[in-house]
Amino acid sequence: MKKQVTLETIISLSKRRGFIFQGSEIYGGLAGTWDYGPLGVELKNNIKQNWWKTFVTDRPDIYGIDAAIFMNPKTWEASGHVEGFNDPLVEDVKTRKRYRADHLLEEHGVHKADEFSVEEMTSKIKELGLKSPEGNEFGEVKQFNMMLKTRFGASEATAIDVYLRPETAQGIFVNYKNVIDSLHPKLPFGIAQIGKAFRNEITPRDFLFRLREFEQMEIQYFIHPDDQKESYEKWKKSAWKWLVSLGLPEEKMQWHDHAENERAHYAADAADIQFKFPFGFKELHGVHNRTDFDLKAHMEKTGVDLYYSVEGGEKFIPYVIESSVGLDRIILAILCAAYAEDEVNGEERVFLQLSPEIAPVKVAVFPLLKNKEELVEKAREVYENLRKEVSGVMWDDNGNIGKRYRRQDEIGTPFCVTVDFDTLEDNSVTLRDRDSAKQERVSVGDLAHHIKEKL
């Protein structure tokens, strides 16, 4: 039975079951940072592997890279981030604390405040008579650069300012020529990478949704300018199809096509797949037509020839279709979509209906009783043999059998295997299905094959 899940419920389950913890928790935490626990990191890696296989390994036209987080600071001048990567902030005139102006307005019922100019935001804040949490007046709304800065160099005298990258895309663009020269791909082709990005969010919020440190999975797909519309639509379909394959319900997703005043300065077209989080429909996966802006900007800044030459002599700067998704937001969406409650044998239970392909644990193996040596020995044998055939097998003998089932349900384990006294007689085990809670007897010799077919 599905229910309207709250963010607090997901946060609580994530900590209790070892998915996600508050960053630096024993020191009181650090806003905008979260740590992935033993189950969370498995879920995260499974999603990354799924994305990489779908869009890189299984395609002949996509090439993977892993670019450095730190880049020559001129990169960010060329890309426009130094001048234009800003958020609208408003300051408490007494305490000097800063707040995101668009978030402040949205929290007070202003629709689409992120589309307002800074002047319109200032006017609206005054019109509504909004004050800071301390009850003080606000100043005027101003733009604030979101890049995080640090220093490179052995001494302060020779150190230079560098930035933690605010996006992974520029690492792809500066390596475009290297990929061309080393592998000689023919258009259309893409370059993909998965990596960390950093933004100095003033008001990180909503658990994994808005972070200061996050992970992106991106493809920049290089095309002939004449193919931009067709390619853009293909990548929109691919993005939707992939999200559905992870188990996200289509009724909780919708397209939001950007109006001209919403698009980034480089985009000829842009659309987001929005997911219905507990706090409303919000951006999950973006597809953008970046035109030739990035390659042209880097060519002008460096003087390096980034034209693409085709047989027959035609030379042009490729257009780029970007497919970009935040991994942390995907995880949040999956946890929200998978959460369910029902009753089994008159008892309430919580379970995660995770797709078996991405579930952190695929199968749990138990002895019926942990104080019966013959059951434990046989269960260990089943466990060790199953691990050789299936990835993601867990041993669990903590508590009674009912508690083990509930624990495995709550972490989304699709199947549980119980070794009981009948196993010692006929070499069969009980295989329990997570979603239906139904049980069947399966021969130990057929167990691995049977589970792999279900997975």
Side-chain angles (χ1 to χ4, degrees), residues 88-107:
L89 298 188
V90 64
E91 195 172 72
D92 179 317
V93 295
K94 289 187 178 179
T95 67
R96 299 301 180 190
K97 290 181 181 178
R98 292 170 171 174
Y99 304 88
R100 275 283 296 267
D102 52 338
H103 292 173
L104 187 69
L105 289 169
E106 287 170 359
E107 288 164 4

Side-chain angles (χ1 to χ4, degrees), residues 322-333:
E322 174 182 76
S323 181
S324 176
V325 61
L327 177 56
D328 307 274
R329 289 187 182 185
I330 288 281
I331 291 169
L332 178 57

